[in-house]
Amino acid sequence: LAKTTQPISMDSYEGQEVNITCSHNNIATNDYITWYQQFPSQGPRFIIQGYKTKVTNEVASLFIPADRKSSTLSLPRVSLSDTAVYYCLVGDRYYKLSFGAGTTVTVRA
Amino acid sequence: EAGVTQFPSHSVIEKGQTVTLRCDPISGHDNLYWYRRVMGKEIKFLLHFVKESKQDESGMPNNRFLAERTGGTYSTLKVQPAELEDSGVYFCASSQDGLSGRSYNEQFFGPGTRLTVL
């Protein structure tokens, strides 16, 4: 499994855009990049997944450069309810998820 | 549609006792996973069922842990005898095979069972 590196924490204010960059230098050809979100006392929840270029859904955007050695999760116009831990995971499409420490995002009023 | 449910939400037991955790996956999901987070550590994979068969149990810490999935539906994780280091939050997740909606292998997690061994 490819090792990922992401910031331990980030602070933001309501209405701002939050960008979290994850490094995964040894990503393999078959690997996808997936982001999960976890609120206190809940299980992780899928946010977005991508292989290359840009993916956007109703929650976030995921930017992946051509070399795929990093990726950036973009959360537009965050609110207090976006305060959570965000995990970047890299692996092939099958099964076992490997969570790192994640990035704790704190949104302030 | 009901999500993944886990029971109990909390369990406090004495060292040496037995505890059984239960997970009900989303209906129709063949894949069921167990993960756990022990205090201050990262969420770690324990094992993966495909229907009633264990596909990967490489993360099971030792033979005090026994997981079963009766008839390919709900699953139980038994810890016997429990030790202090087993304290943590145990998560269950389920998924469908292949591309489903937005992703491959999107895993849906339950709220977890917080286990405290005294």
Side-chain angles (χ1 to χ4, degrees), chain B residues 40-59:
Chain B
K41 299 290 183 62
E42 298 161 2
I43 298 172
K44 294 293 187 185
F45 167 84
L46 294 179
L47 87 159
H48 167 213
F49 283 99
V50 176
K51 297 184 180 178
E52 68 276 7
S53 300
K54 292 176 185 174
Q55 183 75 14
D56 180 354
E57 51 185 330
S58 60

Side-chain angles (χ1 to χ4, degrees), chain B residues 8-105:
Chain B
S9 57
H10 294 83
S11 180
V12 180
I13 60 173
E14 301 278 339
K15 175 183 172 181
Q17 290 185 322
T18 298
V19 63
T20 300
L21 314 180
R22 173 172 170 140
C23 169
D24 286 81
I26 292 173
S27 178
H29 282 189
D30 287 340
N31 297 292
L32 186 148
Y33 318 81
W34 284 97
Y35 295 83
R36 76 170 181 177
R37 167 185 272 146
V38 294
M39 187 64 69
K41 299 290 183 62
E42 298 161 2
I43 298 172
K44 294 293 187 185
F45 167 84
L46 294 179
L47 87 159
H48 167 213
F49 283 99
V50 176
K51 297 184 180 178
E52 68 276 7
S53 300
K54 292 176 185 174
Q55 183 75 14
D56 180 354
E57 51 185 330
S58 60
M60 295 288 266
N62 52 60
N63 59 10
R64 295 185 294 104
F65 289 74
L66 175 64
E68 294 179 321
R69 189 178 183 193
T70 307
T73 56
Y74 70 91
S75 174
T76 58
L77 179 65
K78 179 189 288 187
V79 185
Q80 179 182 29
E83 298 289 344
L84 298 178
E85 64 264 25
D86 300 332
S87 295
V89 181
Y90 290 75
F91 294 104
C92 175
S94 70
S95 75
Q96 293 178 317
D97 263 339
L99 182 61
S100 173
R102 305 172 292 180
S103 75
Y104 289 98
N105 188 31

Side-chain angles (χ1 to χ4, degrees), chain A residues 23 25 45 62 70 92 105:
Chain A
S23 298
N25 292 318
R45 183 180 74 166
L62 179 60
S70 67
D92 64 27
V105 172

Side-chain angles (χ1 to χ4, degrees), chain A residues 15 56 78:
Chain A
T56 298
V78 294

